[in-house]
Amino acid sequence: MEMFLISLCLATLLAFLFLKRLLKRTTTTKLNPPPSPWRLPIIGNFHQLSLSPHRSFRSLSLRYGPLMLLHFGRVPVLVVSSAEVAHDVMKTHDRIFANRPITKAMEKVVRGGRDIVFAPYGEYWRNMKSLCIVHLLTNKMVRSFHKEREEEINILMEKLEQASSSSSTVNLSQFFITLTSDVMSKVALGRKYSSDEGTVDIKTVVRTFSRVFGTFPVAEYIPSLAWIDWIRRLDGKAEEVSKTFDDFLEKVVQEHDLDVDKKKSGFVDRLLSIQREQTTPFVFDRSDIKLIILDMFIGGTATTSSLLEWTLTELVRHPECVKKLRDEICSVSAHNSYVNEDDVEKMNYLNAIVKETLRLHPPLSIIVPRLLSEDVRLRGYDIAAGTQVMINAWAIQRDKATWGPDAEEFKPERHLNSSLDFQGQDYKFIPFGSGRRLCPGIRLALVLVEVTVANLVKRFDWRVQVGPYGVDKLDLAEAAVKMKSIAVFVPKHGSQVFLSSPNHNLFPVNKLSCFPLMSVPTKPPKFVRLKATTTMTRDDHESNRTFKELLPSPWTDQFHTISVDVSEINALRKEIDVLKPKVKKALMSYQGIDSAKKRILMIYLLVSLGLAHHFEDEIDETIKEGFEKKEEMIEGENDLYTVSIIFWVFRRYGHHISSDVFRRFTKNSGNFKESLVGDAKGMLSLYEAAYLRTTKDYIMDEALIFTSRHLESLAADGTCPPHLSVRIRNALTLPQHWNMEMLFLVEYISFFEQEKDHDEMLLKFAKISFKLVQLQYLHELKILAEYVTYLHINDTFEEFERELGPQGRSYNVSASKEVVKQSNYLLYWIIFQGKERSWFKTHVKANFDLAKWGLVYHVPSFEEYMEVGEVEVAVYATLASRYMSMGKMAAKEAFEWLKSRPKLVQSLCVKGRLMDDITGFQDDISRGYVTNAVSCYMKQYGVSENEAFRELNKMVGEAEKIINEEFLTKTGVRHCVLKAVIDLARMIHVCYNGYEGYTDPQGKIKEYMTSMFVDQIRL
Ligand code: HEM
């Protein structure tokens, strides 16, 4: 888990570098949009939402008002938080707010909106809705199903009685779901369908359907994070579950269609007979019937069971209400064992209890979203067509301004003698919505809830017995998360009955679940432990393999709990807006013969100070123009610093300037002139330039030897200013070219500040920009940390295991599991759902192969080892996930290129494999793991450990040269795609630079993380 997070952080950090363009602020419109909280460039306002979006909406609305505009990624979302504004939307302008947003996946299921919930407002929707209201959901029709309800409620009672007498534990939430879906089955389909007769279990399908379609489709809001949907295999799952549902309904409809003589009772029969007899003025077909039924199941079961759960929960919390209710039940239905629907109609207090529950806990806290179809001016604000609209019923129904100071309290009495109703006429009470789109299933839902509650209260004595956190702390306040503190009830004979997690936010389109920070997982999160300490069972031919004990990461909690001061971000942005044009002007204002040279030198500063992303266009233009005039620029230039920087900048931006430019600094012998040694800055920049060498830059090999030899003593002999000595020492440890950009800039800012002639404006800009990026990263990392927590990784692991089982089994299933847990392969496995899987499998196989060798102490030949080891090191998978995170910027072209196994990537694999094995060698050996590049080399060439290290380090150097060379080779692949490889090479370099930082979150890595994410920069 920890390593997973660290990798994710570092990978995100790298990915973020490509998204810098997006940090630019969007332009503002001349219109007067509603107030909006500050937002992040990519995710918009998502970071301001919590696990309960309706709560976050309310907090924000207290600051920004009842009509507030948010952005979910790129999509504008209007949030309505008061009865007055709800009235404007659902009454005054109801027509233009009568559409609904629809996801692509859902659009497929409902065939472009042929159901009721998603049908675009118009003729078709009107016909379908009136078909429902007039033929299916009339009071008479609803009443006609009383027998079906009675049968199912009695089944529930029997189950509870049985549980009571056997003192066994039951999950009441499950019972409620069963009750509502069984009743709905009988009402809609005419009977219950069970899996015993070969049909699907409708409860499970409805649940899966709601989960899949309730999953927040990240790609539709934030295209650059489309990989999250890939990870979750959203499309595939949506197709699977909707097909299951459709197949089932098709079977049901066929059965009813064929058996015309049988006694008909359910909605399906009714709809089929209307269709056959053509009693409606419009035409609908069988597929439309299936969609109506689908709406009923999805819209009517989870909502109703949620209302049941909350009603019972509130009753348990308020024994005084139970007492009053019981009195009422006794007065109306003293002698019958079953409280029937006629009795319930007479019970005002029961009705008030259900109303009060609907007020405090509307099953759809935010009513099913609407979509604005025309531009509109509302309360002085301009709102554009296409804006999604979220009406926060939960906040409106708890508004003290309309409900009084006790708005948050459960007081059924407030509804007695009150004409206030929830049929959509009063905008302070809208659990079923209002206007044209008002819920048509109110009666059907309420009658079931009321009769069930009456019988549960009459037959059982409900009270809290135990709460995991103690009775007094039984906080059943609204959020489903809090409801994890399971309420345990005791029916009168003493069995324990659980009421768990009433899910208040169940409607698929409304449920913003599965997005980081907002998801309420339908299952408790489970984790794959990346730290493997188990000793595996030993097969006859196998040895045990002890896995590395990983230290816990100090970062997980940090990222979870961090909070960022938004006003600080706003202030920083404003300062950047002021500074940017000034710096741009300075860059572009150089004139005359040396202008190109001066600009290149300034670009070096911009890159080193982490400011280049603010000026990408200007830099591209300058470099292109400058490269054409490079000879002119270099001619007669004898300053080592200037030539080295020009070389460095061109190569860094992918332009092949020849290393012959350094010939002017060499003697006839080809050696560098000793006179250069006095120029510390020049020597340092030559040293840095040398790290951009290719296989053919022999002069740069020489430059590296020459500078490395002298820089050490230059730093030590006291001739350089102290800050330059520090810079030199740092460069000798980690050259700028192989350092991560953000890490380098932390160090460079402090160096630059101590330079005598430094530009104050650039320094200030650099600090502000760093601080802003730091805060933005922290936001994103927090989101990622949350997201990782809620990923159901274990499920995926099981899938992984199923598919790869046979390969693993060839030597040891548990071993393969451990290997997988130890590596990031599980992450990649999740990412590579679908079509890239077979390609990915070869990478996993390499992992298994290495593990297999390790288990039997096998030391293959060096070549044999590298063939497998280069694949196993996960460079391809990491890059692929990086490209996914770049979204459209990279897309298909990058994948195709990656799959062709380009030399650039192959060389990175060599670098990664060898650096990993060199730094991890001692640790591997101490754990008895010998399948390592160092051992293979030693064995094959009969050399000592030190000799092997030397040779392997040389190979790393050669691989780096090839990486540089390939980066300069014109491949037709975009710069950002190639740069991703270099950035990964930098991350690998940082992780394995003389220590094994990948599995050790302490030491240097901790220091780096601290400097990037924790230490504050002094402005
Ligand atoms: C406690 C139970 C229920 C609650 C709280 C509830 C709530 C809602 C809400 C808030 C809406 C959106 C209204 C709007 O946009 O203004 C809605 C729409 C809808 N509900 Fe319900 N509902 C419940 C039960 C049912 C049942 C039992 C059925 C079916 C028999 C049903 C079928 C529908 C349909 C078809 C729509 C879409 C109406 C349209 O778009 O025109 N609901 N419901």
Side-chain angles (χ1 to χ4, degrees):
M1 176 73 186
E2 287 79 16
M3 284 319 302
F4 180 88
L5 254 180
I6 288 184
S7 314
L8 211 56
C9 293
L10 293 174
T12 312
L13 189 66
L14 291 165
F16 208 91
L17 299 173
F18 294 93
L19 300 172
K20 285 181 294 198
R21 254 179 220 279
L22 296 168
L23 288 173
K24 291 177 184 169
R25 299 183 73 181
T26 48
T27 48
T28 50
T29 157
K30 282 187 201 127
L31 300 170
N32 181 29
S36 293
W38 162 87
R39 67 179 136 131
L40 282 170
I42 299 163
I43 61 172
N45 297 102
F46 274 128
H47 62 291
Q48 285 145 334
L49 306 186
S50 66
L51 284 163
S52 313
H54 53 287
R55 283 180 178 270
S56 314
F57 286 168
R58 178 165 76 168
S59 312
L60 289 170
S61 76
L62 293 176
R63 226 168 122 194
Y64 296 92
L67 184 64
M68 167 178 73
L69 187 67
L70 300 184
H71 285 84
F72 288 1
R74 59 177 183 175
V75 178
V77 178
L78 189 73
V79 178
V80 173
S81 312
S82 78
E84 293 76 20
V85 184
H87 175 273
D88 291 352
V89 168
M90 295 195 285
K91 174 91 177 164
T92 318
H93 298 283
D94 188 25
R95 186 186 57 79
I96 58 171
F97 281 103
N99 270 316
R100 299 220 194 263
I102 183 165
T103 62
K104 289 201 184 90
M106 189 49 114
E107 203 169 12
K108 268 197 221 157
V109 177
V110 296
R111 295 183 297 119
R114 298 279 301 176
D115 69 328
I116 301 169
V117 179
F118 294 104
Y121 173 66
E123 199 54 31
Y124 177 80
W125 164 82
R126 219 184 327 274
N127 287 333
M128 293 299 266
K129 191 154 182 183
S130 64
L131 178 70
C132 270
I133 293 173
V134 176
H135 295 282
L136 308 179
L137 296 166
T138 56
N139 277 352
K140 189 170 161 222
M141 188 78 173
V142 170
R143 230 176 290 133
S144 73
F145 292 111
H146 67 97
K147 271 261 157 278
E148 284 75 6
R149 281 187 287 271
E150 185 171 339
E151 279 162 16
E152 294 309 315
I153 292 171
N154 276 331
I155 291 175
L156 170 70
M157 297 299 145
E158 271 164 36
K159 283 194 220 161
L160 290 173
E161 291 284 359
Q162 269 170 21
S164 293
S165 42
S166 63
S167 292
S168 55
T169 300
V170 293
N171 183 333
L172 198 52
S173 309
Q174 283 306 320
F175 279 11
F176 286 164
I177 289 170
T178 305
L179 172 73
T180 49
S181 56
D182 284 350
V183 169
M184 186 57 82
S185 260
K186 285 186 164 173
V187 170
L189 313 176
R191 69 176 177 93
K192 287 198 277 188
Y193 285 80
S194 91
S195 42
D196 305 345
E197 50 181 305
T199 58
V200 292
D201 172 14
I202 192 75
K203 284 190 298 296
T204 316
V205 183
V206 170
R207 209 174 31 237
T208 319
F209 193 97
S210 301
R211 178 151 54 87
V212 172
F213 286 96
T215 299
F216 180 75
V218 178
E220 293 190 22
Y221 291 83
I222 315 170
S224 61
L225 292 184
W227 59 271
I228 293 180
D229 290 349
W230 293 15
I231 286 175
R232 297 177 298 176
R233 213 166 61 79
L234 217 51
D235 283 352
K237 284 181 187 163
E239 250 168 55
E240 279 161 26
V241 65
S242 69
K243 184 166 180 329
T244 312
F245 219 134
D246 189 70
D247 288 350
F248 168 68
L249 289 178
E250 180 59 38
K251 202 170 161 219
V252 173
V253 173
Q254 266 179 25
E255 182 185 301
H256 287 242
D257 208 12
L258 291 175
D259 203 355
V260 270
D261 299 330
K262 218 174 135 199
K263 186 180 160 278
K264 305 294 175 185
S265 57
F267 291 165
V268 172
D269 297 312
R270 189 123 181 93
L271 290 166
L272 282 170
S273 88
I274 295 170
Q275 189 208 14
R276 253 191 315 264
E277 288 153 24
Q278 299 187 345
T279 46
T280 50
F282 64 97
V283 181
F284 59 94
D285 61 21
R286 246 162 73 155
S287 302
D288 300 332
I289 295 179
K290 284 192 280 177
L291 290 179
I292 295 180
I293 302 299
L294 178 82
D295 272 3
M296 306 269 161
F297 269 101
I298 306 299
T301 51
T303 43
T304 310
S305 66
S306 166
L307 179 58
L308 261 173
E309 287 190 38
W310 275 116
T311 311
L312 213 57
T313 303
E314 286 296 2
L315 285 175
V316 170
R317 297 170 85 192
H318 296 92
E320 71 285 359
C321 298
V322 178
K323 191 176 172 313
K324 281 191 195 169
L325 177 58
R326 189 161 283 142
D327 289 347
E328 184 176 69
I329 295 169
C330 286
S331 69
V332 174
S333 168
H335 307 297
N336 307 336
S337 62
Y338 179 77
V339 188
N340 65 36
E341 294 179 14
D342 290 338
D343 297 335
V344 161
E345 272 187 21
K346 296 174 206 144
M347 296 183 186
N348 291 338
Y349 194 66
L350 172 64
N351 186 259
I353 283 174
V354 174
K355 268 186 169 174
E356 186 64 346
T357 311
L358 275 167
R359 184 183 73 80
L360 282 177
H361 312 286
L364 301 176
S365 323
I366 299 160
I367 70 173
V368 193
R370 307 281 191 94
L371 183 73
L372 178 60
S373 52
E374 289 171 20
D375 290 352
V376 71
R377 199 168 173 82
L378 211 65
R379 301 196 164 238
Y381 297 115
D382 298 301
I383 303 148
T387 301
Q388 296 193 6
V389 184
M390 307 242 169
I391 301 166
N392 192 349
W394 180 84
I396 292 171
Q397 295 174 177
R398 287 172 179 239
D399 189 350
K400 291 199 168 98
T402 45
W403 288 94
D406 60 356
E408 298 275 350
E409 285 165 39
F410 182 78
K411 283 194 175 166
E413 287 71 18
R414 72 175 91 229
H415 299 282
L416 297 172
N417 308 318
S418 157
S419 59
L420 186 82
D421 209 357
F422 42 58
Q423 303 285 344
Q425 300 308 315
D426 198 316
Y427 295 88
K428 71 178 194 182
F429 195 21
I430 45 170
F432 296 98
S434 174
R436 289 158 218 243
R437 286 288 189 171
L438 178 78
C439 173
I442 303 178
R443 207 46 237 141
L444 194 63
L446 284 189
V447 68
L448 178 60
V449 172
E450 289 180 353
V451 184
T452 310
V453 171
N455 281 288
L456 286 171
V457 169
K458 180 164 189 193
R459 300 261 286 265
F460 297 96
D461 181 15
W462 299 92
R463 64 187 162 82
V464 176
Q465 185 196 35
V466 208
Y469 306 112
V471 175
D472 48 333
K473 288 213 183 128
L474 186 70
D475 181 3
L476 302 184
E478 221 277 327
V481 196
K482 288 193 180 145
M483 285 300 291
K484 276 193 196 129
S485 56
I486 292 167
V488 183
F489 299 96
V490 188
K492 70 178 169 211
H493 304 304
S495 78
Q496 293 192 340
V497 185
F498 292 87
L499 180 65
S500 67
S501 305
N503 217 337
H504 58 284
N505 206 2
L506 300 149
F507 215 85
V509 285
N510 197 28
K511 194 175 154 200
L512 298 169
S513 69
C514 298
F515 189 75
L517 289 183
M518 295 200 301
S519 58
V520 181
T522 44
K523 289 186 235 171
K526 303 182 221 164
F527 305 106
V528 166
R529 286 170 56 227
L530 292 177
K531 175 173 150 184
T533 51
T534 45
T535 315
M536 290 168 294
T537 46
R538 201 176 155 155
D539 287 352
D540 286 349
H541 61 290
E542 289 179 350
S543 308
N544 289 347
R545 177 178 174 185
T546 326
F547 287 89
K548 183 171 179 175
E549 284 277 346
L550 301 180
L551 291 168
S553 160
W555 302 106
T556 317
D557 288 344
Q558 280 266 352
F559 293 141
H560 271 290
T561 54
I562 201 115
S563 72
V564 175
D565 182 356
V566 173
S567 59
E568 193 178 2
I569 291 193
N570 281 333
L572 293 170
R573 292 197 150 166
K574 280 195 188 123
E575 289 195 63
I576 286 182
D577 283 349
V578 174
L579 285 167
K580 217 166 126 178
K582 293 185 186 167
V583 175
K584 181 176 164 181
K585 197 169 158 209
L587 175 66
M588 303 313 281
S589 65
Y590 289 115
Q591 297 296 329
I593 188 150
D594 275 347
S595 60
K597 200 185 291 178
K598 285 181 184 150
R599 280 190 205 168
I600 300 284
L601 292 179
M602 183 158 171
I603 289 173
Y604 173 74
L605 286 183
L606 294 177
V607 173
S608 303
L609 291 168
L611 294 173
H613 66 276
H614 294 288
F615 306 99
E616 276 178 357
D617 295 342
E618 292 80 9
I619 291 177
D620 280 352
E621 188 191 321
T622 305
I623 289 190
K624 260 192 214 121
E625 278 174 22
F627 194 66
E628 279 164 20
K629 296 186 219 152
K630 58 182 180 304
E631 281 82 18
E632 209 180 302
M633 200 191 303
I634 291 287
E635 202 186 346
E637 180 58 72
N638 286 318
D639 178 47
L640 182 59
Y641 174 81
T642 307
V643 175
S644 304
I645 295 296
I646 291 171
F647 177 87
W648 191 95
V649 169
F650 280 136
R651 287 227 170 167
R652 175 89 171 198
Y653 277 91
H655 292 268
H656 192 181
I657 181 170
S658 165
S659 53
D660 286 346
V661 294
F662 292 104
R663 291 266 166 242
R664 70 200 70 193
F665 302 113
T666 56
K667 299 181 278 193
N668 290 343
S669 61
N671 293 338
F672 278 87
K673 296 175 186 164
E674 292 300 324
S675 57
L676 298 170
V677 175
D679 175 7
K681 263 198 193 168
M683 289 288 281
L684 176 61
S685 44
L686 176 60
Y687 166 85
E688 294 283 21
Y691 275 99
L692 287 136
R693 69 201 159 141
T694 66
T695 54
K696 296 175 193 86
D697 292 322
Y698 307 113
I699 189 169
M700 301 314 277
D701 292 342
E702 188 56 40
L704 191 59
I705 297 168
F706 173 71
T707 49
S708 306
R709 184 154 41 92
H710 291 289
L711 280 172
E712 189 84 49
S713 42
L714 270 173
D717 68 11
T719 51
C720 304
H723 71 288
L724 182 57
S725 297
V726 172
R727 185 60 276 281
I728 290 172
R729 274 196 214 100
N730 288 342
L732 288 171
T733 314
L734 190 52
Q736 182 175 3
H737 180 55
W738 294 121
N739 198 349
M740 289 167 72
E741 289 179 359
M742 186 163 172
L743 210 48
F744 179 77
L745 97 94
V746 178
E747 182 210 324
Y748 196 80
I749 287 179
S750 124
F751 166 77
F752 186 68
E753 192 165 20
Q754 295 172 66
E755 284 281 84
K756 264 211 295 301
D757 52 353
H758 71 255
D759 181 326
E760 271 303 329
M761 182 171 66
L762 276 189
L763 179 67
K764 187 174 172 201
F765 193 0
K767 287 182 173 181
I768 292 170
S769 177
F770 171 77
K771 181 129 197 160
L772 179 65
V773 171
Q774 188 183 48
L775 292 177
Q776 310 234 49
Y777 279 154
L778 288 173
H779 259 292
E780 305 268 329
L781 286 173
K782 181 183 169 109
I783 289 167
L784 278 169
E786 294 281 345
Y787 182 65
V788 169
T789 306
Y790 288 114
L791 266 180
H792 294 149
I793 287 182
N794 251 8
D795 290 355
T796 309
F797 180 68
E798 277 156 26
E799 203 184 322
F800 178 96
E801 200 188 342
R802 261 199 313 278
E803 200 157 328
L804 293 170
Q807 276 170 341
R809 220 158 285 137
S810 68
Y811 63 102
N812 186 317
V813 176
S814 11
S816 55
K817 269 189 185 181
E818 293 304 333
V819 168
V820 170
K821 285 181 189 178
Q822 281 262 318
S823 72
N824 272 345
Y825 273 94
L826 197 53
L827 168 64
Y828 302 133
W829 173 254
I830 303 167
I831 291 172
F832 286 94
Q833 302 282 346
K835 57 182 187 301
E836 303 297 346
R837 216 173 239 194
S838 63
W839 180 62
F840 166 70
K841 272 191 197 173
T842 60
H843 296 256
V844 178
K845 186 174 178 309
N847 200 312
F848 284 146
D849 286 345
L850 276 198
K852 207 182 333 180
W853 285 338
L855 284 163
V856 293
Y857 300 115
H858 179 54
V859 181
S861 75
F862 183 68
E863 288 73 24
E864 207 182 342
Y865 171 79
M866 286 302 281
E867 202 175 312
V868 180
E870 284 170 25
V871 179
E872 193 267 355
V873 79
V875 162
Y876 284 93
T878 305
L879 281 173
S881 56
R882 294 275 318 279
Y883 293 143
M884 284 183 200
S885 73
M886 287 159 70
K888 280 194 183 143
M889 281 169 86
K892 208 165 173 273
E893 136 202 8
F895 279 103
E896 292 309 317
W897 175 76
L898 191 61
K899 279 201 267 182
S900 72
R901 298 191 178 273
K903 210 168 159 191
L904 174 64
V905 181
Q906 279 182 33
S907 308
L908 179 55
C909 293
V910 172
K911 176 179 161 87
R913 175 78 279 154
L914 293 181
M915 288 187 88
D916 180 12
D917 284 10
I918 293 167
T919 52
F921 179 67
Q922 296 303 349
D923 186 75
D924 279 354
I925 295 298
S926 69
R927 286 181 291 109
Y929 180 73
V930 292
T931 314
N932 178 299
V934 182
S935 338
C936 296
Y937 194 89
M938 284 163 63
K939 183 179 164 199
Q940 183 166 342
Y941 297 102
V943 294
S944 70
E945 206 175 290
N946 281 344
E947 279 165 322
F949 280 142
R950 203 169 37 247
E951 287 310 312
L952 298 189
N953 274 320
K954 262 196 226 160
M955 289 182 202
V956 172
E958 286 307 305
E960 287 173 353
K961 289 183 195 174
I962 299 172
I963 292 172
N964 289 335
E965 196 161 290
E966 291 299 309
F967 182 64
L968 297 174
T969 310
K970 297 287 166 237
T971 51
V973 178
R974 261 183 288 180
H975 180 74
C976 63
V977 174
L978 302 181
K979 186 168 180 287
V981 184
I982 304 288
D983 282 334
L984 181 57
R986 290 184 179 128
M987 186 179 107
I988 288 174
H989 206 99
V990 169
C991 277
Y992 298 117
N993 192 29
Y995 47 86
E996 218 282 72
Y998 187 66
T999 53
D1000 181 6
Q1002 305 296 332
K1004 277 264 191 250
I1005 291 291
K1006 186 171 178 186
E1007 209 179 283
Y1008 292 152
M1009 297 280 271
T1010 308
S1011 70
M1012 286 191 288
F1013 300 118
V1014 181
D1015 288 347
Q1016 304 278 316
I1017 198 150
R1018 198 168 36 83
L1019 292 182

